[in-house]
Amino acid sequence: MSESKQIQRIGVLTSGGDAPGMNAALRAVVLAADHYGMEVIAFRHGYQGLLDNDHTPMKPADVMHILQYSGTVIKSARCQRFKEVEAAQEAAANLDALNIDALVVIGGDGSFRGAEHLSAHWGGQIIGVPGTIDNDLFGTDATIGYATAVHIAMDALDKIRDTADAMDRVFIVEVMGRYAGFIGLSSAMAAGAERMILPELQKEKPLTISTIVKHIERTNAIRGEGSYVMVLSEHQWPGGAVALAEQLEAEYHLPCRPCLLGHIQRGGPPSPADRILASELGVHAIELIREGVTKVMAGMQAGNPVAVPLRDTWEKKNPLDSNLLRIQHEIFNPVKKTPRTH
């Protein structure tokens, strides 16, 4: 498809887990499309809405004041049926019946896999916009929602530190990030946590309960009795933070409390960084449509807009920041020092 073809109508949907800033991205898509003379049709509840033909026109007046809200005003959902060939064909027929020339999908890797699947059965352009708190999509320096999720986790860790200090307790704070430890690493660094348990580190060298206890004891020996805060990425310990806390208390008599942040990380007003990123990427998606490209993600690298093949976003992996890992492990880790003597 070339720029010579006039794009008259685009579709947009938000899919998978919601992320703070999705509304800002939707707003940018609608405003940019209007600027370039395109109509926008939004599908409610992601791919399920595409199958149900649950759609509504979106005009600038509908999105002018939504960028400060979390969640997504057009709703989201997970749709297992969309993996089927018949579902993609049904969606393609619905898009063609509405005379839609291009589709913008705001979501994470599962949403992009769905977009790739749809592309095999539909001739329109498809552009992905990275909306996920996990920051685990290859080809973009950040995903929409990540900065807000880290801020929320850091704020919780700061508050937990207050009570942990008062009681000289161990606290385990469980954050999201089953397959990628970006939230865990950044929030641990920002809040000065003593220990991180992340999927990448567990895959490399799994921690044992005795290793954790030794680290706690050595930290206390070096810094004196006080609080000890661990950041645990979800699904990185059997039974999660609750089970680990119970094990530390039962087997080692360490006063320990778990705290599961869960979906709190998805809520609240998006941070300025997420609002700005979402606005840039939403506009970039429309401009990529005007350029005639398809099956790419609108991303940002070093402050510059880029187009990344959709398959690359999940087939290739972004590593954790090696410098942050080095600082946290080597510079800020008290076990590297000699315990003080009295």
Side-chain angles (χ1 to χ4, degrees), residues 39-109:
E39 296 179 59
V40 177
I41 301 294
F43 292 90
R44 302 184 187 91
H45 299 286
Y47 289 118
Q48 187 62 54
L50 189 50
L51 294 177
D52 295 340
N53 220 2
D54 183 4
H55 59 83
T56 184
M58 297 289 284
K59 300 184 181 301
D62 300 317
V63 299
M64 285 303 295
H65 305 295
I66 66 170
L67 85 167
Q68 68 267 42
Y69 300 128
S70 195
T72 163
V73 296
I74 57 173
K75 309 294 184 180
S76 188
R78 302 188 191 276
C79 182
Q80 289 298 317
R81 189 166 79 86
F82 202 75
K83 296 178 180 180
E84 301 171 3
V85 169
E86 293 78 7
Q89 292 171 339
E90 186 178 333
N94 288 341
L95 289 166
D96 287 339
L98 290 168
N99 296 316
I100 289 176
D101 302 303
L103 179 68
V104 176
V105 175
I106 305 170
D109 68 316

Side-chain angles (χ1 to χ4, degrees), residues 190-208:
E194 281 76 24
R195 167 68 76 182
M196 308 174 298
I197 304 178
L198 313 178
E200 294 86 349
L201 300 181
Q202 287 294 86
K203 187 180 297 184
E204 181 181 320
K205 186 178 180 181
L207 283 174
T208 63

Side-chain angles (χ1 to χ4, degrees), residues 206-266:
L207 283 174
T208 63
I209 189 74
S210 61
T211 302
I212 293 172
V213 171
K214 287 177 182 177
H215 191 270
I216 295 170
E217 291 173 344
R218 190 162 175 82
T219 299
N220 288 339
I222 291 170
R223 295 183 176 173
E225 292 294 326
S227 62
Y228 183 100
V229 175
M230 264 184 281
V231 174
L232 170 66
S233 294
E234 60 185 347
H235 293 268
Q236 300 311 307
W237 195 270
V242 173
L244 178 54
E246 290 174 349
Q247 195 173 356
L248 287 170
E249 287 221 36
E251 297 179 20
Y252 294 93
H253 310 293
L254 286 169
C256 186
R257 296 291 182 271
C259 179
L260 282 63
L261 298 188
H263 287 76
I264 289 172
Q265 294 157 94
R266 296 191 189 278

Side-chain angles (χ1 to χ4, degrees), residues 5-27:
K5 176 180 177 178
Q6 181 65 39
I7 303 298
Q8 296 181 331
R9 180 176 286 183
I10 68 165
V12 62
L13 58 84
T14 52
S15 172
D18 59 299
M22 277 186 165
N23 282 325
L26 174 63
R27 171 182 178 269

Side-chain angles (χ1 to χ4, degrees), residues 1 11 13 47 50 82 95 101-106 111-129 285 288-289 292-298 308-310:
M1 188 176 294
L13 58 84
Y47 289 118
L50 189 50
F82 202 75
L95 289 166
D101 302 303
L103 179 68
V104 176
V105 175
I106 305 170
S111 303
F112 290 175
R113 290 170 193 262
E116 180 83 7
H117 177 53
L118 174 62
S119 71
H121 305 279
W122 184 57
Q125 291 172 261
I126 300 177
I127 305 294
V129 174
L288 286 172
I289 289 172
V293 298
T294 187
K295 293 198 296 183
V296 299
M297 175 191 73
V308 183
L310 278 179

Side-chain angles (χ1 to χ4, degrees), residues 21-38:
M22 277 186 165
N23 282 325
L26 174 63
R27 171 182 178 269
V29 165
V30 173
L31 295 182
D34 181 73
H35 174 77
Y36 290 117
M38 306 175 195

